Amino acid sequence: MVTQPLRDELDPKTRLLVIQYGCYADAAERFQRGGGETYFAQRYTVDFLADVARHVARVTVLSYGTSYPRRRLHNGVYVVGSELYPPGRGVQARLAHFALLRVAQRERPTHIAVACPEPTVLAWALMQRARTFAVFADSFTRASRGARLKYRALAGLLNRPGVAWVSNHNLAASLDLARIGVRPEKVVPFDWPPTIRAADNPPKTLRREGPFRVVYVGMMLESKGVGDAIRAVDMLRRGGREVELSLVGGTSPTLVAEVARLGLDAHVHFLGKRPHAHIVPLMSEHDAVLVPTRHEYPEGLPMTIYEGLCSRSPVVFSDHPMFAWRMRDGVTGVRFQAGSADALARAVERLMDDPVLYAALSASAEDTTRDYLCPVKWDQLYRALLSTRRATRESIAPYALARGHYGDLPLAG
């Protein structure tokens, strides 16, 4: 929520444009109907922008994940959608970029928050001479020539004086920005507020009766490792191990067909989408939480890991490079080789067969989560962008990678 001091720091002539993937309108209208969150800290972000809108000329959220006409919501925020990645390539893709930029141009922004790692969008923002910052939840690990050229262009734009600073979700993803050439003094890791805590749930011990129940929460994509999880369950059951898998976050005809092909309909459960308030209790009801992301998925640091730790159910996580700074094998969870169903099966089996390890991981979750979240929170980034006061605008600078707050880091750029 916007505090009284920040309200006094806002210029009433401000026109803020936020370019992001998620559909702000869907969330805001769901909350108005009495619905709940669908992911971590969703209401916090929706309410913050609504509070800002009460004190400035205009706040517009432009979604690049879908297309819909511009309208003003009940909370005063304007919303519009222009899909940036329609089916097809070549000319069709380029036209989508131009269409989005035409929509953005109509807002005549004085301040821009770019949550879209596309050079064309960032180049447009720089041309507006508006106060601009970039805020991502992405990694930049793809090794193709096209990806490397895109990263180089993106880093060059982010290093320009017109971008006040660059933020990425958590430390590892922020280091990835430095790796592709963004100057470390401009990179500020951010996080969400700790709305849940491991201390809210008691430590667990390994159950000895019934099947070992594991749960995955997230998008139903092969690149997120969901297929690997299904195949791991098949391997374990064929080896005589009683394991069941719950999948939360939607469905996929391809994955449903895979479950049927393997004869796992009674053991792999598609639970669909669940309100966010149900996620940690659901994790607590299971014996382990799976985070099997493959390397090709541009993960930042998923809040699913933090939620799993807070649930006190041990986390089985892949060796995705974005997890390495926060997660250690045998200390904070159980690690396995991404993309390998066999390695995932062995990691689950390791947890099933070691009650001492299981209890230790559950008991240590409170210590693991204590310093898990970065000190700068999402709303502080926007406060620094929008404030008319120098002290507020410079308040996040001490947390840039180059300033030493995180100790010695492998900085590049």
Side-chain angles (χ1 to χ4, degrees):
M1 303 291 285
V2 174
T3 61
Q4 178 75 27
L6 178 62
R7 184 185 68 186
D8 294 341
E9 295 179 36
L10 296 174
D11 183 342
K13 298 178 182 178
T14 293
R15 297 184 298 274
L16 170 65
L17 174 64
V18 181
I19 305 176
Q20 65 176 41
Y21 181 79
C23 184
Y24 180 95
D26 282 353
E29 290 170 342
R30 185 186 336 110
F31 296 154
Q32 185 188 30
R33 297 190 300 267
E37 296 178 298
T38 57
Y39 57 81
F40 194 95
Q42 188 178 36
R43 186 181 293 275
Y44 148 83
T45 60
V46 167
D47 288 352
F48 180 86
L49 291 179
D51 278 352
V52 172
R54 295 187 184 100
H55 306 294
V56 300
R58 185 167 64 244
V59 173
T60 304
V61 180
L62 167 55
S63 170
Y64 67 85
T66 185
S67 295
Y68 55 87
R70 185 179 188 271
R71 68 182 187 275
R72 186 176 185 270
L73 300 181
H74 65 281
N75 62 11
V77 175
Y78 287 85
V79 293
V80 62
S82 184
E83 189 172 5
L84 190 60
Y85 304 117
R89 302 180 67 180
V91 173
Q92 189 173 1
R94 289 196 292 273
L95 289 176
H97 280 66
F98 291 137
L100 181 139
L101 297 180
R102 283 197 299 271
V103 171
Q105 187 70 45
R106 295 189 192 111
E107 298 303 317
R108 298 180 296 110
T110 60
H111 297 71
I112 305 174
V114 180
C116 175
E118 282 291 339
T120 53
V121 175
L122 194 60
W124 170 85
L126 286 166
M127 291 173 61
Q128 307 314 301
R129 300 187 181 278
R131 181 164 168 81
T132 299
F133 89 104
V135 53
F136 303 136
D138 300 86
S139 57
F140 304 90
T141 56
R142 293 176 181 169
S144 68
R145 182 174 182 273
R148 291 197 304 272
L149 290 174
K150 178 180 175 178
Y151 297 161
R152 185 183 305 169
L154 184 67
L157 292 165
L158 293 172
N159 282 332
R160 291 189 183 180
V163 178
W165 67 88
V166 189
S167 290
N168 211 347
H169 181 222
N170 218 283
L171 182 58
S174 296
L175 288 169
D176 218 26
L177 284 171
R179 183 186 58 77
I180 68 169
V182 182
R183 295 204 305 270
E185 61 269 24
K186 296 194 72 169
V187 180
V188 179
F190 84 94
D191 232 310
W192 309 108
T195 56
I196 56 175
R197 302 179 306 153
D200 295 333
N201 293 297
K204 300 168 61 172
T205 56
L206 184 64
R207 291 187 307 111
R208 285 304 188 185
E209 296 181 357
F212 190 81
R213 302 178 64 215
V214 296
V215 60
Y216 164 86
V217 179
M219 292 183 287
M220 297 296 140
L221 300 174
E222 193 70 41
S223 59
K224 291 284 280 185
V226 185
D228 300 323
I230 292 169
R231 290 182 285 275
V233 170
D234 179 55
M235 291 177 182
L236 287 164
R237 293 195 65 84
R238 284 192 285 110
R241 310 307 296 262
E242 289 295 315
V243 177
E244 295 197 354
L245 170 64
S246 298
L247 300 172
V248 181
T251 187
S252 159
T254 302
L255 295 172
V256 170
E258 178 75 352
V259 168
R261 183 184 69 82
L262 296 171
L264 294 173
D265 300 82
H267 310 293
V268 175
H269 314 286
F270 289 90
L271 303 185
K273 294 183 178 180
R274 295 293 181 91
H276 182 260
H278 297 179
I279 297 303
V280 172
L282 184 66
M283 289 176 169
S284 294
E285 293 170 6
H286 286 72
D287 298 299
V289 175
L290 300 186
V291 187
T293 313
R294 292 182 174 185
H295 288 206
E296 61 263 28
Y297 187 83
E299 197 81 83
L301 185 68
M303 292 306 294
T304 308
I305 294 180
Y306 180 76
E307 291 165 326
L309 291 166
C310 288
S311 78
R312 296 299 186 118
S313 293
V315 178
V316 179
F317 63 99
S318 77
D319 61 358
H320 192 289
M322 293 300 103
F323 304 164
W325 280 89
R326 293 299 187 196
M327 300 296 287
R328 294 173 56 199
D329 182 47
V331 178
T332 60
V334 178
R335 184 176 60 224
F336 71 96
Q337 181 184 346
S340 170
D342 179 65
L344 175 50
R346 284 186 277 112
V348 171
E349 202 162 32
R350 175 183 167 194
L351 200 54
M352 294 174 69
D353 292 340
D354 193 338
V356 174
L357 173 64
Y358 188 100
L361 293 175
S362 184
S364 66
E366 188 171 353
D367 288 337
T368 300
T369 56
R370 186 168 290 117
D371 296 319
Y372 187 94
L373 303 178
C374 295
V376 174
K377 302 301 185 273
W378 181 88
D379 67 296
Q380 292 175 278
L381 301 176
Y382 279 82
R383 291 166 188 262
L385 175 75
L386 298 169
S387 178
T388 58
R389 295 181 183 173
R390 182 175 178 178
T392 305
R393 290 159 75 105
E394 296 179 353
S395 62
I396 64 172
Y399 301 97
L401 293 180
R403 296 294 290 272
H405 175 83
Y406 297 96
D408 293 331
L409 296 171
L411 301 178

